[in-house]
Amino acid sequence: MTSAMPGGWTDWKDANEEVKELCKKVKPIVEKQTGKQFAVFETLTFRTQIVAGKNYNIKVYAGNNMCAVLEFWQKLDGEIAVTSEQHW
């Protein structure tokens, strides 16, 4: 099932082209916030939540056997704000 209750998160899905493009836009923001440069930044899966805009959780492969979960908010005007990132 891919839909969620209003305000809830969708199920995790394989990354599509739209999300891969968003991830390209988010990469330099994450690099600046973390002080790290990622040679690899491959979008794997994602889920979304509709708010005043859209929240995204995106799992990415960041090279060197490291993955990250990014959380960011795409505002109604299209501006993107990274709200958290976690590595494992």
Side-chain angles (χ1 to χ4, degrees):
M1 183 171 184
T2 59
S3 62
M5 68 176 155
W9 288 97
T10 63
D11 293 333
W12 287 95
K13 301 177 249 188
D14 290 337
N16 58 31
E17 288 305 312
E18 176 186 358
V19 171
K20 289 177 183 179
E21 286 301 313
L22 284 171
C23 218
K24 287 179 186 177
K25 292 178 183 178
V26 169
K27 180 184 176 198
I29 299 168
V30 172
E31 288 177 332
K32 184 176 181 181
Q33 287 182 347
T34 63
K36 298 177 184 176
Q37 297 293 308
F38 300 103
V40 178
F41 208 71
E42 180 183 344
T43 311
L44 303 172
T45 59
F46 76 103
R47 64 183 185 163
T48 59
Q49 178 187 40
I50 302 298
V51 291
K54 191 182 283 188
N55 285 331
Y56 288 85
N57 279 152
I58 298 179
K59 292 180 185 178
V60 298
Y61 175 66
N64 296 323
N65 294 320
M66 183 175 66
C67 288
V69 175
L70 310 175
E71 184 170 305
F72 64 91
W73 172 39
Q74 186 175 32
K75 301 176 185 180
L76 294 172
D77 66 3
E79 182 182 345
I80 297 172
V82 175
T83 54
S84 79
E85 59 88 21
Q86 301 171 357
H87 292 105
W88 77 90

